[in-house]
Amino acid sequence: RVRIGDHSYIGPMNTIDRGMLNDTVIGARVMLDSHCNIAHNVIVGDGTIMCARSGIAGSVQIGVNNIFGPAVKVADHVIIGDKNLFVGLTGVTKNVGDNQVMGGFPAVPVSEFRYQVVVLRRLVSEFKQKVKGRA
């Protein structure tokens, strides 16, 4: 079965798979934007918001009051705590505790993700300068 809590909004073009072993549960006051995919046996906690194109694989447990940015993906059998924020295009592959702001793939705290992006850009810039020097 699929159980949907009170006052939940499910946008157009969503897919919610029925439970295979246990019910798929969408909590109360959940908002699912368009083109979201919820797989079998998923539990979405009360007050959670998922932006467009988010996808949750099977047997995931999501706590209360989480926010998923656009196109966030969650791997199967992951447990997500309460009051987390996942920035757009984040790929969650491991369990996440409470009160985290996560980004990147695989998901890391967003401050670390930003640092990784800066370092990568510097490496690319240095590599381009070295290649130009050889030409």
Side-chain angles (χ1 to χ4, degrees), residues 15-36:
T15 303
I16 301 174
D17 295 346
R18 66 178 173 82
M20 297 285 287
L21 303 172
N22 301 311
D23 292 345
T24 298
V25 179
I26 308 296
R29 299 172 314 282
V30 170
M31 295 181 67
L32 301 179
D33 199 3
S34 62
H35 296 87
C36 292

Side-chain angles (χ1 to χ4, degrees), residues 71-120:
V72 171
K73 308 300 183 206
V74 180
D76 58 335
H77 300 282
V78 169
I79 299 172
I80 295 174
D82 300 334
K83 298 180 182 176
N84 295 298
L85 170 64
F86 299 93
V87 300
L89 299 172
T90 297
V92 182
T93 58
K94 296 182 180 174
N95 295 348
V96 177
D98 298 336
N99 301 309
Q100 301 287 319
V101 179
M102 305 290 281
F105 180 85
V108 294
V110 79
S111 58
E112 184 178 332
F113 172 64
R114 289 178 179 156
Y115 181 74
Q116 290 173 353
V117 170
V118 168
V119 169
L120 184 60

Side-chain angles (χ1 to χ4, degrees), residues 119-129:
V119 169
L120 184 60
R121 286 181 180 166
R122 286 184 184 166
L123 285 172
V124 168
S125 177
E126 290 175 14
F127 179 76
K128 285 181 178 179
Q129 288 176 357

